Amino acid sequence: MNHLLSTEHLDRSTLEELLDEAEGFAEVLTRPIPKVPALRGKTVATMFFEPSTRTRLSFEKAAKALSADTVSFSPGTSAISKGESLKDTALTIRAMGVDLIVVRHTATGAPWRLAEWLDIPIVNGGDGAHQHPTQALLDCLTIRQRFGSLDGLKIAIVGDIKHSRVARSDIFAMTTLGAEVILVGPPTLLPLDPEAWPVSVSHDLDSVIEEVDVVYLLRVQTERGGASVFPSLAEYATRFGMTPERFSRLKPEAVVMHPGPMNRGVEISYDVADDERALILEQVTNGVAARMAVLFRLLGGEHDA
Amino acid sequence: MHDLLLKGGSVLTHEGISVTDVAIANGRVAAIGSDLGEAGETIECGGAWVGPGFVDMHTHLREPGQEWKENIASGTAAAAAGGYTALLAMPNTDPPIDSAHLARYVSDQAFRARNAYVVSAGCLTMERAGERMAHLDELWDAGVRIFTDDGDTVQNASVLRAAMEYVAQLGGVVSQHAVDRDLSAAGFMHEGSISSRLGMQGIPREADDLTISRDIELARLTAVRYHVQHLSTARGVALVKAAKEDGLPVTAEVTPHHLMFDHGEVLSMDANYRMTPPLREPSDTAALIEGLRRGIIDVVATDHAPHAAVEKDVPFEQSMSGVTGLEWAASVVNGVVGLDQHDFFDRISIAPARIAGFTDHGQPLAEGAAGNIVVFDPDKRWTPSSTRSRSNNSPYLGRELTGKVRATLLDGVLTYAE
Amino acid sequence: MRQVMSTEDLRRVTTRIAHEIVERNEGTNEVVIVGIPTRGRPFADRIARVLSDIEGREITAGSLDIGMYRDDLDTRPRTRIGPTEIPENIDGKTVVIADDVLFTGRTIRAALDALADLGRPGAVQLAVVVDRGHRQLPIRADFVGKNIPTAASERILVRFEEIDGEDGVWVDQGGDG
Ligand SMILES: [Zn+2]
């Protein structure tokens, strides 16, 4: 593995190794001194061309917990706003002696271009509506901690799948790890060609709510591509929101997840968000461990067989 | 003594096709036949097709205003290497060609470069804004015969209707980049399984089909000669077929890239596969090939659209739309469609010259006619590795193609020789 | 490949080392055994089992992953990150690190760093099945199963039933055979 760009072509053993190692790093994070010298002397750069404090902080925390140095670039503060091209910016950062770049970009494929231009590992921190592989890793880690394995679990991903890089990454990772994924949403928010995905599809959350082990709620945005994609937030909340009533119909061991930031009262009700079976904060914690595993995998050298 | 002898090629004349020699003197075809006597220079044409130089009715030369991408000298040099002797320059320059002096400037620059004959198309509307008619009369007087806002579509049906009525009265052609603005606005590629996989906003086929359909009805209303640019959908081919069957003066073109590629190429996220209209599905590609074979699609046009590296070596969605094509269009069409010599020259030279109103180009060879000629070897395999264009945004670089230009003559003078 | 210790040899050596640990530390009340994954772990478990028999109480071994502490990641293939599980607070305790082979000493240096991040032991001791020489750091073992002088190109393979399906120690001549 030279880069982490997508979950689409990650095989089961690679995913499981990353999750196993993430467990090891999760333990480090519980220590009084949550830091190991694994990547001492390495420098990790974050290049975020889209505002996301949470993901950037998570990567920086992961790098620091591995004793790597971090540098960060954002278009607001760097030469990008002066019209410098992405390629020139990337080459400049590389020339500073950076060992790995985490990139988030509004344009699909931007991390692939960086991987082509540069000779260092690239981690996709989210590109367009395409891929967000570390989110999938932390989601799978969170589910595995709760259930022991993803094998045979039924996972409903609810909401704007069509425009979601989280969904695209989760679908591949979760199904590769043995889970069954059901996409739930109105037709305007589902992919055009669900038959091409390893999933089933429902327009009715109530019809699947009692049979699933995980309900993964996506963040709702009302406007997409200039056209409205559902009538109103209230109507969305009624049909696809995790209301207390729906929550009460879940299997007793079933859990609720959300990639954040949440719209309380829309895709998830106020009370459900704070329930012990809403794993949202566990996801955040695991995000650091999963990203440590990724950084260590890419910078710690190949491991022996 | 003749200036030049084209020896032993398969020569396309008004009488048909035969293996013979062509002698050139004083810029014109001096004689066609065997034993034509001495010549200053002889080009062996054995195994090659000899016919009228190719005519492209959709070239972006970028001058004036965007010379970092291309200029008239470099664009016409690429054209000569691709076997072209005449080009219709698209008017979406900066400033756009909406007035007579700008149209004259383009032809004059080309005349100085001496690589190809160039006439500019004129804008349909001022500044290609789709609101007020361009100076259509003046443009007509400056030699403009084809009017288009290419790069943009005239969205307002009422504006288009008026422009069509005006152009019809002049005897010109309205040529449309036919894409619905609202359906295509947010899109970057064909809407289908690949856009869905990549999470990219798509452009549905209907963005083209709705506009073509509307335009054909307005052409019916106004009796204007209407030309559809760069067809990309199977339905578009069917619409053109139906219009022709109704006896409407409708013509259409297809680009080499829409014949060769489909949206699967975009999985690479390589910006050299970003174009408007987008690469569509294999079923569309098949319909376009069949449409060109049967003559429903009249013309192969390159839509040669140079963009600099800073505009293409970027993420797909941030790149400029378009690819270069002049140097390999004939090779692509020959390799992908497999037309015989007669139909090949019809689609890439004779038909475009007829629609564009070029009289000294795109005619089967005849004694006394202008020496605008190409020698094309349909069997030669080659892999393009460099370009004469100022830009190298081409998906063909590094791909093996079948068929190669051996020589191009403009008014009897070699503008390209292998 | 040449076998240098049998199943029985391995059993005997483990028992002896367990006794030596008890003797050296005057009992095991203040002793914590931790194995270094992969093959230090079964060795630590076996020592703990013998200690449980000797002391007449349940003693469990821990696991100390050192993958995150190596200083030679650029020059050799890394091992997978394994679990770190320490059965009790190690502050003030004597921690006995168990590993299969003592070679350059770099693994043990990493283990000492890892321990330092987990607490403040009173003392640290080292138990290994095989000491094969070629030290690159000033580190020595407190408890050694067998000293086996080797050439640098040779490999020592310690195998445990739990992981490899068989017990014993072999020397591989190396080379490209
Ligand atoms: Zn166009």
Side-chain angles (χ1 to χ4, degrees), chain A residues 8 86-87 105 107-110 112-113 117 129-130 163 168 172 191-193 196-197, chain B residues 186 191-193 195-201 268-271 313-318:
Chain A
E8 195 172 341
L86 177 63
K87 185 174 185 176
H105 206 288
T108 299
W112 277 258
R113 292 287 85 85
W117 295 327
H130 181 210
H163 305 98
R168 275 181 184 73
F172 289 109
L192 295 165
D193 57 338
W197 302 78
Chain B
E191 179 181 290
S193 58
S195 67
S196 178
R197 182 59 58 103
L198 293 172
M200 261 198 248
Q201 286 280 344
S268 68
M269 295 177 277
D270 179 342
D313 201 5
V314 297
F316 191 90
E317 294 166 26
Q318 297 187 320

Side-chain angles (χ1 to χ4, degrees), chain B residues 116-342:
Chain B
Y117 173 73
V118 177
V119 174
S120 187
C123 296
L124 262 177
T125 67
M126 289 306 288
E127 295 177 344
R128 301 168 52 243
E131 291 161 6
R132 290 179 299 120
M133 261 183 236
H135 298 294
L136 302 178
D137 280 315
E138 280 183 26
L139 287 164
W140 179 266
D141 292 342
V144 169
R145 295 293 175 266
I146 296 204
F147 298 88
T148 177
D149 280 358
D150 182 36
D152 286 317
T153 310
V154 181
Q155 300 288 346
N156 184 313
S158 179
V159 170
L160 181 63
R161 177 195 174 173
M164 279 181 162
E165 280 173 343
Y166 209 91
V167 171
Q169 158 264 144
L170 289 170
V173 176
V174 167
S175 173
Q176 179 90 295
H177 165 113
V179 181
D180 181 83
R181 177 183 50 209
D182 297 319
L183 278 176
S184 66
F188 302 97
M189 63 175 295
H190 171 64
E191 179 181 290
S193 58
I194 306 292
S195 67
S196 178
R197 182 59 58 103
L198 293 172
M200 261 198 248
Q201 286 280 344
I203 302 169
R205 292 185 179 98
E206 288 71 15
D208 297 29
D209 299 342
L210 284 173
T211 308
I212 294 168
S213 179
R214 177 200 71 169
D215 287 4
I216 287 173
E217 293 315 312
L218 290 176
R220 197 191 304 273
L221 175 67
T222 58
V224 76
R225 290 167 66 199
Y226 173 71
H227 179 77
V228 192
Q229 296 179 354
H230 37 55
L231 277 179
S232 74
T233 68
R235 180 83 191 121
V237 178
L239 288 166
V240 169
K241 178 166 181 280
K244 288 185 166 185
E245 284 166 359
D246 286 354
L248 298 177
V250 169
T251 55
E253 68 185 36
V254 63
T255 72
H257 40 274
H258 288 107
L259 293 168
M260 181 144 170
F261 302 118
D262 62 59
H263 68 153
E265 301 288 348
V266 183
L267 271 181
S268 68
M269 295 177 277
D270 179 342
N272 282 331
Y273 296 100
R274 175 149 187 226
M275 49 274 281
T276 312
L279 297 174
R280 300 206 182 268
E281 303 199 8
S283 57
D284 295 298
T285 307
L288 294 168
I289 290 172
E290 184 59 18
L292 187 68
R293 278 207 187 108
R294 293 173 55 191
I296 297 165
I297 301 173
D298 305 80
V299 167
V300 171
T302 65
D303 198 1
H304 177 82
H307 292 294
V310 292
E311 297 161 325
K312 275 295 200 185
D313 201 5
V314 297
F316 191 90
E317 294 166 26
Q318 297 187 320
S319 70
M320 303 293 280
S321 203
V323 296
T324 62
L326 284 165
E327 284 157 293
W328 21 77
S331 307
V332 171
V333 172
N334 176 63
V336 172
V337 187
L339 298 169
D340 63 22
Q341 186 180 355
H342 176 276

Side-chain angles (χ1 to χ4, degrees), chain A residues 18-84:
Chain A
L18 283 167
L19 295 183
D20 290 344
E21 299 206 334
E23 299 276 12
F25 290 114
E27 179 273 322
V28 169
L29 295 171
T30 65
R31 296 178 188 175
I33 306 164
K35 186 165 181 152
V36 290
L39 297 182
R40 204 164 47 196
K42 304 282 187 186
T43 302
V44 170
T46 54
M47 285 174 75
F48 275 46
F49 294 90
E50 202 184 80
S52 167
T53 316
R54 305 159 58 101
T55 306
R56 180 205 286 269
L57 284 178
S58 180
F59 270 108
E60 289 179 355
K61 168 74 180 162
K64 285 174 177 150
L66 293 166
S67 301
D69 293 322
T70 59
V71 290
S72 74
F73 293 80
S74 52
T77 59
S78 77
I80 287 286
S81 51
K82 300 183 189 106
E84 188 180 56

Side-chain angles (χ1 to χ4, degrees), chain C:
Chain C
M1 223 162 54
R2 179 164 54 90
Q3 185 163 14
V4 291
M5 289 178 75
S6 65
T7 308
E8 182 52 27
D9 292 338
L10 203 52
R11 192 194 60 75
R12 235 190 331 262
V13 155
T14 309
T15 308
R16 170 167 59 76
I17 287 176
H19 280 95
E20 286 175 3
I21 289 170
V22 175
E23 200 173 329
R24 169 86 66 93
N25 297 297
E26 297 168 353
T28 56
N29 286 340
E30 298 299 310
V31 172
V32 180
I33 313 281
V34 296
I36 298 176
T38 309
R39 287 178 183 73
R41 183 68 208 260
F43 185 40
D45 287 340
R46 290 178 184 201
I47 292 171
R49 225 153 27 229
V50 178
L51 290 176
S52 303
D53 289 346
I54 299 170
E55 297 284 286
R57 66 181 174 91
E58 181 66 23
I59 295 172
T60 52
S63 182
L64 180 66
D65 186 79
I66 53 93
M68 309 168 198
Y69 291 87
R70 296 209 68 104
D71 62 0
D72 51 2
L73 288 169
D74 288 335
T75 57
R76 65 185 288 284
R78 70 178 179 84
T79 48
R80 288 204 183 126
I81 299 299
T84 291
E85 299 153 5
I86 307 296
E88 54 189 298
N89 190 329
I90 59 170
D91 288 353
K93 298 279 173 58
T94 294
V95 175
V96 179
I97 298 170
D99 203 3
D100 52 349
V101 180
L102 177 56
F103 185 23
T104 61
R106 289 184 185 274
T107 302
I108 306 307
R109 185 210 57 77
L112 293 170
D113 285 353
L115 272 185
D117 277 359
L118 293 168
R120 202 170 172 288
V124 180
Q125 297 168 355
L126 174 62
V128 296
V129 179
V130 173
D131 181 348
R132 60 170 292 191
H134 302 285
R135 211 80 70 242
Q136 295 170 355
L137 295 170
I139 283 170
R140 61 166 183 79
D142 299 271
F143 313 104
V144 179
K146 189 177 171 76
N147 284 293
I148 303 178
T150 55
S153 63
E154 287 176 323
R155 293 204 304 146
I156 298 281
L157 300 174
V158 179
R159 299 189 170 196
F160 290 96
E161 177 82 41
E162 301 88 313
I163 295 169
D164 307 298
E166 61 180 339
D167 272 358
V169 178
W170 284 261
V171 176
D172 188 359
Q173 302 305 23
D176 49 12

